[in-house]
Every structure is written in C-alpha cells, then in structure tokens.
C-alpha cells in the first residue's frame, strides 16, 4: 500500500531488494538496509537504462568511443546522481524509455510483430508509473513517431489493440491495490492542493 496512484512496479522492485537483505536487518541498521536497498535497485535500473542508451547511440551510427565518453560524462551530472539516490519512480522511466525507442525503431525497419510487442509491454509499464511521466513520455513519442504511425496501418490495428489490453490490465491492477487512480494526485496529500495561484502569477514581474 503506497497511498498514491503511482504504478507499483518500482516499489515492488525496492521491496524485493529489502527482502533479500532482510536476514541482516536489526534495529541498529534498519535505516542503512532500507537506504542501500533503494540505491541498489536504482543502480540496477540506471545501468539497464544506460546500456539501452548505449545501444541506441550505436544504432544511430555514433562510434563506441564517442558513446563511452558521452555516457561517462552523463554519469556525473547532478540529475543522474540524484536519480540513483532518491526513491522516486522516475528512474524506471529512464531505464525503459531507450528500449522502447530501440524496439520500435526495429519494428519500423523489420516489420516484425515481436518487436511491436516488446515496445508495447515496457511502454505500458512506463505510462503506469506516474501521471507526469505519462504526459511527458506520451508527448515525446507522439511527436517522434506520429508520421510513422499514420503511414503504417498495422501499428494502428495490432498495436492499438495490444496497447489498450495491456494498459487496461495494469491500470486496474494498480487501482485495486490502492483504490487510487493513476491521475488522482490529490489522494496522498489532499491539503497540499487546496490553494490555487491567481492569474497574476503568470504576468506579474517582481522588479525588486
């Protein structure tokens, strides 16, 4: 029970890491075990995502040497470090997004249904992760692939059926666990959303 509408996959993976170390847990080290479990889960997801980005760079004719240098530098960006430390489901989206792009690009080249399935499965998992992630990933994929989708009737016919099926199953699974919808961000802390900014928030300039 997470008391929010987020997808449960990320939290389940963290719980598995905690379970693996449960025999070492005591009142003295429980905080250390919990923190190390979160960071272990994040590190594995991060490595999976980085490897996907590496393959994506090679697929786009970027040399291995340039890819190694770029990813090495990226590892030390503050955002990348924070992502590996904090217990936030955004790292799951980082982990799966490059693989979604890879498999869909393969499908566009080879027209094999298995590549379309391998695209839709992680896509449904990512879109169920969090409402804000749903919006960002959807917009990115829409602008990147809208032309390809409209030109390929098989994607619309087969892909749409598979997507709706998997997405609906995952959506209701997450809802049954918490009784909170994916886009209901007020459920966890409703008091935090009682206040609205006035229109002057957008147009006011503080000259001081």
């Amino acid at each position: 029970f997470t008391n929010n509408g987020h997808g449960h996959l990320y939290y389940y993976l963290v719980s598995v890491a905690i379970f693996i170390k449960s025999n070492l847990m005591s009142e003295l080290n429980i905080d250390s075990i919990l923190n190390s479990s979160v960071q272990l889960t994040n590190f594995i997801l991060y490595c999976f995502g980085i490897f996907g980005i590496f393959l994506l760079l090679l697929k786009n004719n970027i040399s291995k040497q340039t890819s190694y240098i770029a990813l090495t530098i990226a590892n030390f960006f503050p955002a990348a470090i924070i992502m590996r430390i904090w217990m936030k489901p955004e790292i799951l989206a980082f982990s799966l997004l490059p693989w979604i792009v890879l498999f869909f690009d393969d499908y566009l080249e080879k027209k094999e249904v298995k590549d379309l399935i391998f695209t839709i499965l992680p896509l449904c998992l990512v879109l169920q992760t969090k409402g804000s992630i749903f919006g960002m990933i959807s917009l990115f994929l829409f602008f990147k692939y809208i032309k390809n989708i409209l030109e390929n009737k098989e994607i619309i016919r087969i892909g749409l059926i598979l997507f709706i099926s998997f997405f609906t199953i995952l959506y209701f699974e997450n809802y049954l666990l918490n009784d909170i919808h994916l886009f209901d961000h007020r459920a966890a802390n409703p008091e935090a959303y009682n206040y609205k900014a006035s229109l002057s928030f957008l147009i006011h300039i503080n000259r001081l």
Side-chain angles (χ1 to χ4, degrees):
F1 183 78
T2 60
N3 198 34
N4 59 50
H6 298 172
H8 290 74
L9 177 59
Y10 172 72
Y11 301 102
Y12 172 75
L13 294 175
V14 173
S15 71
V16 170
I18 295 173
F19 176 78
I20 293 174
K21 300 181 179 183
S22 60
N23 62 322
L24 304 174
M25 193 176 296
S26 68
E27 294 182 358
L28 298 176
N29 67 0
I30 184 170
D31 289 337
S32 298
I33 295 294
L34 294 177
N35 289 333
S36 64
S37 299
V38 170
Q39 293 186 33
L40 174 62
T41 305
N42 288 351
F43 181 73
I44 294 173
L45 291 173
Y46 183 81
C47 289
F48 188 68
I50 283 291
F51 183 61
I53 294 175
F54 174 71
L55 296 179
L56 200 57
L57 291 173
L58 296 183
K59 187 178 180 64
N60 287 275
N61 300 319
I62 306 298
S63 67
K64 284 188 176 181
Q65 182 178 5
T66 303
S67 300
Y68 287 142
I69 295 173
L71 294 178
T72 300
I73 295 174
N75 289 334
F76 294 96
F77 279 5
I81 295 174
I82 292 172
M83 185 167 53
R84 297 195 298 267
I85 295 175
W86 286 1
M87 184 177 174
K88 293 180 72 68
E90 280 79 358
I91 194 167
L92 184 62
F94 171 85
S95 176
L96 295 179
L97 181 58
W99 296 95
I100 294 171
V101 175
L102 272 171
F103 282 122
F104 195 63
D105 286 346
D106 285 343
Y107 170 75
L108 294 176
E109 293 177 5
K110 304 173 185 177
K111 305 299 181 184
E112 296 182 1
V113 177
K114 67 179 181 65
D115 290 322
L116 187 59
I117 295 175
F118 289 145
T119 300
I120 291 174
L121 282 174
L123 176 60
C124 289
L125 291 172
V126 167
L127 295 183
Q128 291 285 339
T129 302
K130 196 175 179 181
S132 58
I133 294 175
F134 178 96
M136 290 185 287
I137 298 297
S138 298
L139 286 174
F140 166 72
L141 295 177
F142 175 81
F143 287 113
K144 181 174 176 59
Y145 292 114
I146 183 60
K147 182 178 179 181
N148 302 101
I149 293 174
L150 293 177
E151 292 176 350
N152 193 322
K153 294 182 179 179
E154 186 179 48
I155 299 177
I156 300 175
R157 185 176 65 254
I158 300 177
L160 193 60
I161 294 174
L162 291 174
F163 175 80
I164 292 176
S165 301
F166 290 134
F167 186 86
T168 302
I169 292 171
L170 289 173
Y171 187 93
F172 280 105
E173 181 194 29
N174 289 325
Y175 175 74
L176 291 174
L177 289 171
N178 273 341
D179 292 331
I180 301 174
H181 290 287
L182 174 65
F183 303 104
D184 188 3
H185 57 279
R186 298 170 298 174
N189 186 14
E191 292 79 11
Y193 297 91
N194 287 339
Y195 306 98
K196 296 181 180 180
S198 63
L199 184 61
S200 62
F201 175 80
L202 299 175
I203 60 177
H204 177 72
I205 298 177
N206 189 346
R207 297 179 179 178
L208 299 178

